[in-house]
Amino acid sequence: MSVQDNGSTAVADDATSSGVTKRLLIDGELVTTERTFASYNPATGDVVGHAPDAGVEEAEAAIKAARRAFDTTTWSTDAEFRATCLDQLYQALRDNAEELRELTIAEVGAPRILTHGNQLDAPIEIVKYYAELLRKTSFTEELGEVEFRGQPHRRWVEKEAAGVVAAIVAYNYPTQLAMAKLPAALAAGCTVVLKGAPDTPLVTQALAEIIANHTDIPAGVVNILSSSQIAPGELMTTHPDVDVVTFTGSTPVGKKIMAAAADSLKRVFLELGGKSALIVLDDADVATAAQFAAFSICSHAGQGCALTTRLLVPRAKHDEIVAHVAGVMQHVPFGDPSDPKIYMGPVISEKQREKIDAMVKRAVDEGATLVTGGEKVDPGWFYKPTLLANVDPDSEIAQEEVFGPVLAVIPFDDDDHAVEIANNSKYGLSGGVLSADDERGIAIGRRIRTGTFSVNGGNYFSPDVPFGGYKQSGIGREMGAAGLAEFQQLKAFSVVVK
C-alpha cells in the first residue's frame, strides 16, 4: 500500500478484467498498462473495477503528446474549432450521463440525489458555459494610440494560450473538479494532461473514452492518466514541458507542488482546503439555521472543501441551537448511496474514516462535548453525522480540515467576535451567514476573508461564478471568466502608425 499525492491510498495489482475496466488516453489512443490497481465501493468495500496504473513512462508520453499538439497544430489559434469540440464534449457527456451516474454512485459513494447536482449534472453544464464564453470572447484588446518621439504608436494586447497544462484532481467530486479545469483550459487553447485521484480513477478515466470516441479533439490535446504511484504526479508538476499546473487537493500537498513548480517558475493554480464558518446571528431563525447547518455538513459525508464545518452561534443561544442541530442530524438519512431517498453516503476509505474518528476523539479529550454521532457504521466506510459543542476556536477540530460529517459549534459574544473567530483560520475558502436582515448579513460577509460567501442560503456555485480561496485555501480561481484567464498569457504589441 502506498500513500498517494492527494493523501489517499490504493493497491496495485496484476491486470484483471473483473469489474469495470478503463484505459488511459495518450496521444489520441486508448491504451492499457501491464499493471492495474483496484478501485473500491466505499459503501460496501467491494471492488468496483480496476484502473490502469500509469508510471513515469506513460506520464512522459502524455506530456510529450500535449507539447507536440500545442506546438505543431492549430489548436491554440483556432477558437471556432475549439468551441465545436467543446459542443461535442458537452453532448457526449449528456449522452453518457446515466453510465457516469451509476459509476459515480458506486466508486465515489455519492448519493444518487447529489449526482443530479454538483457531482455530475451541474459540472456537465460547465462545458456548455465555456463553449458559449469562447464564442463571445475577444482575444484582442485595443489600447489606443500614443505619441512617442514624434510618432503615433498603436498598442494592443492579445490573449494567448498558456501552453501545456498538468491538471490533478481529488477524489471527492471527480467530475466536477475535472470539468472546472479541462473545459477552461481547452477554451483558452491549451493542451492538457489530466490525472485522476487514485481513490476514484474510473470516473475520470471514463472521460477518456468519451473524448476519444465522441469528439474531434485532436490527438495529444487531451491526455488522461490514472495511477496509484506518486512519481507520475511529481513528473507532471516538475516537467520542463509543462507550463501550468492546476491542482485540487490538500493544502500540504499544494505547498509541495508550489515548491516543486518554483524551480521552472510554472504558473500554478491551487484549489486547496477549507475550514469554513457558518455564522448564525442573533436574529436568525433557529430552526432554519439548524436545518441549514446539519444538511450542509452531511452533504457527501462532509467531503467538500467549501462546506461550512464550523458553526458559530450566539453564546446565549448555544444550547438551544445545539439541541436543534442534533435533532436534525440524528434524522439525516444515510446509507446505500444508490437509494434515491438517501442524503448521506460513506466516506471514501477506511483510512479516511480512521482519521475522522481519531480527530473526534481528540476533540473530546480537549474539552469539546460530543452531542451526537462519533460512531463508525459497517459494512462500508460510514461515519455517523457528528456534532461537537462548546468547541475552543483554537483547538485542532476548529482549525484543521476533517473531511467528514463533523460539525464544530463555537459560541461568540457579538458580531465583531463572530468575525474574529471566522477569520481565525489559515484557510479562507468559503463561509456563510444567517440573519433576518440581508444587509446585516452582507455586511458581515464583506468582513470575512474568503473567496466565496453565502448570505441566507444563497447559492454561489455556478459555471459563471469564479471559485477559489484566500490564504492557504489556494491561489487563483476556476470557473467563470476568471477561470479562462488562468490558462491565458497576455502579450502586449505596439506598432508605429505610418
Side-chain angles (χ1 to χ4, degrees):
M1 186 169 289
S2 59
V3 178
Q4 305 309 312
D5 58 1
N6 65 351
S8 61
T9 58
V11 179
D13 53 23
D14 294 326
T16 178
S17 60
S18 63
V20 178
T21 57
K22 297 295 179 184
R23 292 173 287 179
L24 307 176
L25 177 59
I26 300 177
D27 205 8
E29 298 293 329
L30 293 168
V31 298
T32 59
T33 56
E34 290 185 3
R35 286 172 61 81
T36 66
F37 63 100
S39 178
Y40 297 91
N41 183 331
T44 63
D46 298 333
V47 172
V48 177
H50 294 78
D53 199 8
V56 170
E57 181 179 353
E58 287 82 9
E60 184 77 51
I63 295 168
K64 181 180 179 180
R67 185 79 265 167
R68 177 198 56 76
F70 185 81
D71 291 342
T72 66
T73 75
T74 61
W75 176 259
S76 66
T77 57
D78 192 342
E80 183 55 42
F81 178 56
R82 298 201 303 272
T84 297
C85 288
L86 286 171
D87 289 339
Q88 294 171 344
L89 177 57
Y90 173 67
Q91 188 59 52
L93 288 168
R94 291 196 63 181
D95 292 343
N96 291 273
E98 294 314 308
E99 177 186 348
L100 288 170
R101 193 180 317 282
E102 298 307 318
L103 185 56
T104 301
I105 293 167
E107 184 181 49
V108 184
R112 185 174 298 278
I113 189 173
L114 291 188
T115 67
H116 292 284
N118 291 354
Q119 276 287 1
L120 181 60
D121 290 356
I124 290 175
E125 296 304 312
I126 299 175
V127 184
K128 180 180 180 181
Y129 167 78
Y130 277 110
E132 294 175 346
L133 181 65
L134 177 55
R135 287 191 168 95
K136 60 186 180 183
T137 294
S138 173
F139 290 88
T140 302
E141 179 185 0
E142 291 287 342
L143 299 179
E145 295 183 6
V146 297
E147 185 174 308
F148 181 69
R149 292 180 178 173
Q151 290 183 297
H153 293 249
R154 174 195 166 209
R155 295 102 25 82
W156 73 97
V157 173
E158 294 186 3
K159 299 175 182 178
E160 297 182 344
V164 175
V165 174
I168 303 174
V169 301
Y171 63 76
N172 53 332
Y173 285 83
T175 299
Q176 189 274 318
L177 298 176
M179 292 303 101
K181 302 179 187 302
L182 183 61
L186 296 181
C190 296
T191 58
V192 181
V193 180
L194 172 66
K195 179 180 175 293
D199 278 318
T200 54
L202 302 176
V203 172
T204 305
Q205 289 307 133
L207 298 176
E209 297 186 12
I210 289 172
I211 289 170
N213 295 327
H214 301 288
T215 77
D216 294 325
I217 294 175
V221 169
V222 178
N223 306 270
I224 303 182
L225 305 177
S226 58
S227 180
S228 71
Q229 306 168 51
I230 298 174
E234 290 181 338
L235 182 69
M236 289 170 62
T237 60
T238 57
H239 200 288
D241 283 341
V242 171
D243 302 294
V244 181
V245 178
T246 173
F247 168 79
T248 298
S250 71
T251 294
V253 175
K255 290 178 180 179
K256 292 178 180 178
I257 287 174
M258 190 172 182
D263 186 59
S264 54
L265 292 179
K266 299 184 192 305
R267 177 180 291 191
V268 177
F269 167 75
L270 303 171
E271 202 275 277
L272 306 175
K275 196 67 184 178
S276 303
L278 173 62
I279 302 171
V280 181
L281 297 182
D282 54 16
D283 61 352
D285 179 75
V286 170
T288 300
Q291 289 277 343
F292 193 88
F295 278 90
S296 175
I297 195 61
C298 292
S299 178
H300 196 30
Q303 298 171 112
C305 53
L307 295 177
T308 47
T309 57
R310 292 181 294 160
L311 180 61
L312 278 51
V313 303
R315 194 175 302 276
K317 292 188 175 183
H318 175 276
D319 293 351
E320 179 188 6
I321 293 175
V322 165
H324 274 79
V325 175
V328 177
M329 291 180 77
Q330 288 165 358
H331 291 91
V332 170
F334 71 92
D336 179 3
S338 65
D339 185 341
K341 297 180 181 179
I342 290 298
Y343 181 78
M344 191 185 96
V347 297
I348 194 63
S349 66
E350 178 60 21
K351 176 184 176 182
Q352 179 62 19
R353 186 168 71 163
E354 288 291 343
K355 174 198 169 187
I356 295 165
D357 193 52
M359 290 186 74
V360 170
K361 285 181 168 59
R362 287 197 297 271
V364 174
D365 290 342
E366 292 174 6
T369 303
L370 177 60
V371 181
T372 188
E375 299 176 46
K376 302 176 186 178
V377 179
D378 297 320
W381 302 312
F382 293 90
Y383 198 79
K384 278 190 176 182
T386 300
L387 182 64
L388 295 166
N390 296 300
V391 172
D392 182 337
D394 294 320
S395 65
E396 178 194 42
I397 203 71
Q399 291 292 321
E400 300 299 329
E401 193 170 38
V402 179
F403 235 55
V406 180
L407 183 62
V409 183
I410 304 171
F412 65 81
D413 297 319
D414 53 31
D415 288 8
D416 289 342
H417 191 209
V419 170
E420 178 187 342
I421 294 172
N423 285 330
N424 176 31
S425 174
K426 63 186 175 185
Y427 299 112
L429 187 56
S430 191
V433 65
L434 298 174
S435 171
D437 183 346
D438 283 351
E439 292 306 314
R440 182 184 178 194
I442 292 170
I444 289 287
R446 288 182 173 137
R447 299 172 65 188
I448 308 300
R449 292 182 51 76
T450 62
T452 55
F453 198 82
S454 170
V455 177
N456 287 328
N459 178 31
Y460 54 75
F461 186 87
S462 179
D464 61 340
V465 177
F467 180 84
Y470 290 22
K471 299 187 280 187
Q472 293 188 35
S473 283
I475 297 173
R477 296 292 183 269
E478 56 190 12
M479 300 197 300
L484 181 65
E486 292 290 342
F487 299 105
Q488 294 176 320
Q489 288 280 19
L490 301 181
K491 179 178 288 184
F493 282 88
S494 180
V495 63
V496 176
V497 179
K498 297 178 182 178

